[in-house]
Amino acid sequence: MPQPKPNILILMVDQLNGTWFPDGPAPFLKAPHLKKLSEESVRFSNTYCPSPLCAPSRASFMSGQLPSRTGVYDNAAEFQSSIPTFAHLLRRSGYRTALSGKMHFVGPDQLHGFEERLTTDIYPADFGWTPDWTKPNERIDWWYHNLGSVTNAGTAEITNQLEYDDEVAYHAKLRLYQYARREADRPFCLTVSFTHPHDPYVARKKYWDLYPEGSLPEIAVADIPYEQQDIHSKRLFDMSDWRNYTLTPEMAADSRRAYAANISYLDDKIGEILQTLKDCRLDDNTIIVFTSDHGDMLGERGLWFKMSFFEGSSRVPLMFHAPDRFKPRQVTSVASTLDLFPSLMDLASVECGALVDDLDGASLLPALEGGHRADAVVRVEYAAEGSIAPMVMVREGAFKLNLAGKDPVQLFNIESDPHEVNNLATDPAYATVLESLMARVAERWNLDAYDLDVRRSQTRRLAVYEALRNGNYYPWDFQPLQKASERYMRNHMDLNVVESDARFPKKGE
């Protein structure tokens, strides 16, 4: 008999700094479930997001295409229904596909290949957060990040985000029970996507208390004065309204403490899901993927949040757990979350056909089997708030090249200079490296055309948004439908059948 297709469980978190997961969770993190998962996984410790912002990165994660190809340039750009995702292809091949949690889809299509969404999203689905590059110095107060997330760091027992992630975990576990009880006829791909440890930096006291003062590492690159920041970092400072906030070292420490605490909170939630997977006897044939959409600077260089190509913002964890299939190990060569699409197709034995020509990622199957990723280069883009022109990044081997419009070029040796404090772009000794990486940029991007596309997209969306909010408003936000009359026991059902079908495992199994 042919081998059954593997189930797939994708665990995604939001804004998790990859340098805090150098090879699984760093030793200072209290994350026993993720630590055990990492020890049994193939860990890609130099993985980058496609764009250091939620919606662009997630659309690229789903489609295997860079933002310049999807058109999802920022957190208010539509993800077109005609772009295939891994959920579409898995579903076409017979998989049940479901999403519990965040994916920040913008536009009227809120499924993108998922048969089911078990929760609504935590962020809006319309064009309201569209940047406007025609007003480069304008700060949009009602939705831009500000440093209030840092100054208000601390504890709370319930928040907007805690309420959301509690619900995400609940529905994910319930869906696994349903797979075990009723729907074992088809393999599943369940994506569980949390919003923590994304700011605000507020945690439940239970997890806050896991990190007493002095238990976290100090900021490696202390605050760099505004005047000495690179030009893009200055724009990020201005965007976060830094002049109207007074940050103290205690506030920074509290923010990092809450961030670590929220990783421990996530660890508990993920532990519950993994235990449910095991209790449902689904663990033996389920591949588990763990990753994040982007990172968080966490005060390094005085920067917070993301929107930067520095390691804290653009590097993310990536782990594949299938210990019966792949020997657990660390892979230090570069990878991208763009690679998830082609990797899942290989793992599920699904043919991409002509769609492979649209993919910007490379399958990680050779690396999972002990070899190497097919492409030695990773590419990252950014064209959203805090920028004034498309920004691109290339990492190949030890070197990273950052281009941001007409800003000075940045070139770093990440292996010898992991904190990116020594810009080698004007050093004659690295002229050949710079030339090689600039050629990588030229072979992939027409930056003038990219700039024009972003500006035209912004202009169109700003016009449409103003129109749609004038008069009757129909939201695109996903509305989960709970068919209460089809749940538990109702009078069109046989009680004996209901109780028998709802039990797992049944007596004697």
Side-chain angles (χ1 to χ4, degrees):
M1 289 183 63
Q3 282 288 103
K5 285 184 178 288
N7 300 313
I8 299 165
L9 173 62
I10 299 172
L11 301 169
M12 191 174 201
V13 298
D14 196 320
Q15 205 162 296
L16 181 50
N17 183 321
T19 70
W20 282 33
F21 265 62
D23 185 26
F28 59 82
L29 290 172
K30 314 297 184 185
H33 300 106
L34 285 169
K35 179 173 173 50
K36 182 175 186 296
L37 187 73
S38 70
E39 290 169 348
E40 299 172 351
S41 298
V42 180
R43 292 123 21 222
F44 293 85
S45 56
N46 279 293
T47 301
Y48 291 87
C49 63
S51 182
L53 194 68
C54 297
S57 184
R58 289 165 179 272
S60 294
F61 160 82
M62 292 290 304
S63 67
Q65 302 178 29
L66 283 162
S68 56
R69 201 189 294 263
T70 65
V72 184
Y73 305 123
D74 53 62
N75 276 343
E78 182 179 3
F79 188 17
Q80 297 179 39
S81 296
S82 59
I83 299 176
T85 68
F86 66 75
H88 283 115
L89 267 66
L90 290 173
R91 181 176 174 181
R92 186 177 69 170
S93 72
Y95 274 76
R96 297 185 184 275
T97 56
L99 168 63
S100 182
K102 175 182 176 178
M103 204 51 74
H104 208 153
F105 294 145
V106 174
D109 182 355
Q110 287 295 303
L111 291 173
H112 290 284
F114 290 112
E115 284 182 81
E116 299 176 281
R117 285 195 73 169
L118 310 179
T119 72
T120 190
D121 213 300
I122 194 167
Y123 287 152
D126 60 21
F127 297 157
W129 291 3
T130 302
D132 188 351
W133 281 358
T134 68
K135 302 172 183 176
N137 298 317
E138 181 180 78
R139 178 184 152 71
I140 307 172
D141 289 327
W142 73 274
W143 64 267
Y144 269 17
H145 262 93
N146 63 54
L147 295 179
S149 287
V150 182
T151 60
N152 289 312
T155 63
E157 292 311 305
I158 193 66
T159 65
N160 184 51
Q161 294 191 171
L162 287 167
E163 178 183 346
Y164 187 77
D165 279 350
D166 287 349
E167 182 182 358
V168 169
Y170 167 79
H171 282 288
K173 291 185 290 181
L174 181 59
R175 200 70 194 81
L176 290 174
Y177 286 130
Q178 290 171 341
Y179 286 140
R181 291 186 296 191
R182 303 189 184 100
E183 299 169 3
D185 56 318
R186 291 164 59 192
F188 68 80
C189 175
L190 174 61
T191 301
V192 185
S193 184
F194 296 98
T195 195
H196 283 95
H198 192 292
D199 65 290
Y201 306 114
V202 180
R204 285 187 174 133
K205 191 171 186 303
K206 168 184 176 182
Y207 301 102
W208 174 274
D209 288 344
L210 294 175
Y211 297 92
E213 186 176 350
S215 61
L216 296 178
E218 296 292 325
I219 292 174
V221 181
D223 287 4
I224 298 173
Y226 178 82
E227 295 73 21
Q228 297 175 24
Q229 296 278 355
D230 64 89
I231 296 175
H232 178 64
S233 295
K234 286 181 178 178
R235 287 193 288 265
L236 296 183
F237 265 76
D238 292 341
M239 194 194 76
S240 66
D241 201 20
W242 68 283
R243 292 180 180 87
N244 287 320
Y245 292 85
T246 300
L247 268 59
T248 66
E250 291 75 22
M251 291 173 182
D254 283 350
S255 297
R256 290 161 68 88
R257 183 178 182 180
Y259 184 86
N262 282 326
I263 293 173
S264 295
Y265 161 77
L266 288 172
D267 186 74
D268 265 5
K269 294 299 176 186
I270 288 170
E272 293 172 12
I273 292 169
L274 297 180
Q275 185 61 50
T276 303
L277 187 76
K278 184 176 182 180
D279 292 343
C280 289
R281 305 175 185 175
L282 296 168
D283 54 321
D284 285 346
N285 191 38
T286 299
I287 295 170
I288 303 168
V289 180
F290 175 80
T291 193
S292 179
D293 57 352
H294 52 74
D296 189 322
M297 289 302 292
L298 293 173
E300 295 286 340
R301 320 171 82 92
L303 294 170
W304 293 89
F305 322 126
K306 56 270 187 174
M307 301 166 283
S308 164
F309 290 150
F310 290 124
E311 292 287 279
S313 169
S314 63
R315 206 169 109 201
V316 296
L318 179 63
M319 307 190 298
F320 284 76
H321 180 274
D324 293 340
R325 187 167 179 174
F326 307 118
K327 182 179 179 181
R329 69 186 185 111
Q330 180 186 21
V331 179
T332 58
S333 56
V334 294
S336 169
T337 54
L338 287 166
D339 302 338
L340 190 80
F341 186 121
S343 302
L344 291 181
M345 297 308 105
D346 281 351
L347 292 171
S349 301
V350 174
E351 291 294 328
C352 290
L355 295 175
V356 74
D357 295 335
D358 292 335
L359 300 180
D360 292 308
S363 175
L364 297 174
L365 184 59
L368 291 169
E369 293 176 335
H372 301 280
R373 180 178 184 263
D375 191 349
V377 182
V378 293
R379 300 164 182 85
V380 183
E381 302 176 350
Y382 187 71
E385 60 264 26
S387 64
I388 59 173
M391 300 168 52
V392 298
M393 182 200 111
V394 175
R395 168 98 193 256
E396 183 172 14
F399 293 95
K400 178 200 283 189
L401 173 71
N402 300 335
L403 291 181
K406 296 181 180 179
D407 297 355
V409 176
Q410 293 177 325
L411 177 66
F412 299 108
N413 184 327
I414 301 301
E415 292 180 1
S416 63
D417 178 26
H419 300 301
E420 300 166 285
V421 295
N422 185 18
N423 185 3
L424 305 172
T426 59
D427 188 333
Y430 294 92
T432 302
V433 173
L434 179 62
E435 181 181 4
S436 174
L437 292 179
M438 291 294 284
R440 293 290 196 186
V441 170
E443 71 187 18
R444 177 60 184 81
W445 290 288
N446 178 332
L447 293 177
D448 289 338
Y450 188 1
D451 184 278
L452 179 61
D453 286 345
V454 174
R455 292 175 187 275
R456 291 176 63 189
S457 172
Q458 291 177 358
T459 299
R460 291 193 299 267
R461 286 182 281 134
L462 288 166
V464 169
Y465 180 70
E466 290 176 7
L468 294 183
R469 294 309 293 254
N470 188 15
N472 293 334
Y473 177 63
Y474 186 84
W476 290 337
D477 307 294
F478 184 72
Q479 310 287 345
L481 177 62
Q482 293 288 335
K483 296 182 180 179
S485 61
E486 297 298 324
R487 300 187 70 197
Y488 307 117
M489 173 60 197
R490 299 294 183 261
N491 281 332
H492 64 284
M493 305 173 184
D494 184 318
L495 178 60
N496 298 301
V497 173
V498 168
E499 295 195 346
S500 175
D501 287 351
R503 180 172 176 171
F504 179 88
K506 293 179 172 56
K507 187 175 181 179
E509 290 185 349

